[in-house]
Amino acid sequence: MQFKVYVIIVTIIVLFALNFFLIFQNSRDNFSVKNFADNYTNENQQAYILPISGPNYIPVLDSNVFRPAVDAKSAVVYDTGSSRFLYEKNSETKLPIASLTKVMSAVIILEKLNLDDIVTISEETIRVDGEKQDLYLGERMSVRNLLKLMLIESSNDAAYALAAYAKRQGTDFVAEMNTKAKALDMADSNFIDPAGLSDDAYSTVQDLIKLVEYSLNYQEIWDISSEKTAIVESSDERIKHTVQSTNRLLG
């Protein structure tokens, strides 16, 4: 009887030991398989996932693109965002300013005059270029509307009317233009009239870039300049001027 009990106890111990061994072996095998799977996945991820590449802003020259011929005596392409010249041609050559003068005139108007003031048109500010008449003798118009007429239609009469009004207010308009040019370090520029009629006035495209950059402080200049057409009225609304932009690039 004692012998049978002994055999049963030994059998139970052997079975328990065998079960423990099998459990341990299975756990070790599972761990090895998991490690292999993890390593395989990591190796594959490292092998096939490409690094994140950022945008490339370096310009690439396409030699197959036709290059337009620039016939202008002087020209620039300027990026106001990065303050970089993208193209230059004789950018330091002094040339007559013509109607680009009116950008400076607009700056002086906004800095020295009240846009709501009313200007009475005098005889000396009518048909100042000897050709086109934009205003009428005795017509009364706000500084703001004259500014619109000057910027949208490039009206010489409006530019001279505003300069004459400034003089009556004690401001030497052209002197202020040249003072501002000096302040903007436009060393190669000289303004003679508010409309750019005189060919003796001069500037360079390098200097005009400085003027344009400064004028961007006055959003009104560029909001007005972007209008293709507008109706400009006298202060009593009796006279209406239909103006159309001279800028062919608009639209």
Side-chain angles (χ1 to χ4, degrees):
M1 183 67 180
Q2 290 181 348
F3 178 78
K4 289 183 179 180
V5 172
Y6 177 78
V7 170
I8 292 172
I9 292 173
V10 171
T11 303
I12 291 173
I13 292 173
V14 170
L15 290 174
F16 180 82
L18 180 60
N19 185 57
F20 178 82
F21 174 79
L22 291 174
I23 292 173
F24 175 80
Q25 184 67 28
N26 185 56
S27 298
R28 190 177 64 176
D29 291 343
N30 288 339
F31 180 76
S32 299
V33 170
K34 183 178 184 300
N35 280 345
F36 174 79
D38 289 344
N39 291 336
Y40 179 81
T41 301
N42 289 335
E43 288 174 1
N44 278 274
Q45 286 177 341
Q46 293 174 1
Y48 293 104
I49 294 180
L50 296 175
I52 298 174
S53 59
N56 186 349
Y57 296 108
I58 300 175
V60 177
L61 176 62
D62 186 349
S63 58
N64 295 321
V65 174
F66 172 74
R67 298 186 183 185
V70 179
D71 295 328
K73 294 180 181 179
S74 179
V76 295
V77 176
Y78 182 78
D79 179 12
T80 57
S82 63
S83 299
R84 292 195 309 165
F85 287 90
L86 306 181
Y87 171 83
E88 290 185 72
K89 176 183 177 181
N90 301 329
S91 62
E92 296 181 354
T93 301
K94 294 180 180 179
L95 294 167
I97 315 172
S99 281
L100 289 174
T101 297
K102 296 183 176 82
V103 177
M104 177 63 87
S105 293
V107 168
I108 301 303
I109 290 163
L110 291 172
E111 293 186 347
K112 298 297 180 180
L113 300 180
N114 186 332
L115 295 181
D116 294 323
D117 284 356
I118 302 300
V119 178
T120 300
I121 305 304
S122 56
E123 187 173 357
E124 66 269 20
T125 62
I126 296 175
R127 199 174 291 177
V128 293
D129 55 9
E131 298 178 5
K132 184 181 178 183
Q133 179 176 339
D134 298 320
L135 298 167
Y136 299 98
L137 180 63
E139 180 180 0
R140 290 167 57 81
M141 186 177 290
S142 67
V143 171
R144 178 179 284 100
N145 281 351
L146 285 170
L147 178 63
K148 288 183 178 181
L149 196 62
M150 182 185 77
L151 290 177
I152 298 174
E153 199 170 62
S154 191
S155 170
N156 296 322
D157 286 2
Y160 270 79
L162 288 163
Y165 177 73
K167 184 177 181 180
R168 293 196 292 273
Q169 301 300 308
T171 299
D172 187 330
F173 199 87
V174 174
E176 290 292 342
M177 294 170 72
N178 286 305
T179 298
K180 179 59 69 175
K182 185 177 180 180
L184 296 177
D185 195 28
M186 297 171 62
D188 295 317
S189 301
N190 183 47
F191 295 92
I192 293 178
D193 68 84
L197 295 180
S198 174
D199 287 339
D200 292 329
Y202 59 82
S203 186
T204 67
V205 290
Q206 289 270 7
D207 274 4
L208 291 176
I209 287 296
K210 298 174 184 177
L211 172 59
V212 168
E213 280 209 303
Y214 179 77
S215 72
L216 293 175
N217 293 313
Y218 297 100
Q219 186 60 39
E220 189 158 8
I221 293 176
W222 302 103
D223 287 343
I224 293 173
S225 298
S226 65
E227 295 184 42
K228 295 179 69 174
T229 60
I231 302 295
V232 177
E233 299 179 333
S234 60
S235 59
D236 58 9
E237 299 182 356
R238 295 176 60 185
I239 303 174
K240 298 182 187 295
H241 301 267
T242 301
V243 295
Q244 186 168 354
S245 177
T246 59
N247 186 354
R248 296 181 181 179
L249 295 178
L250 281 183

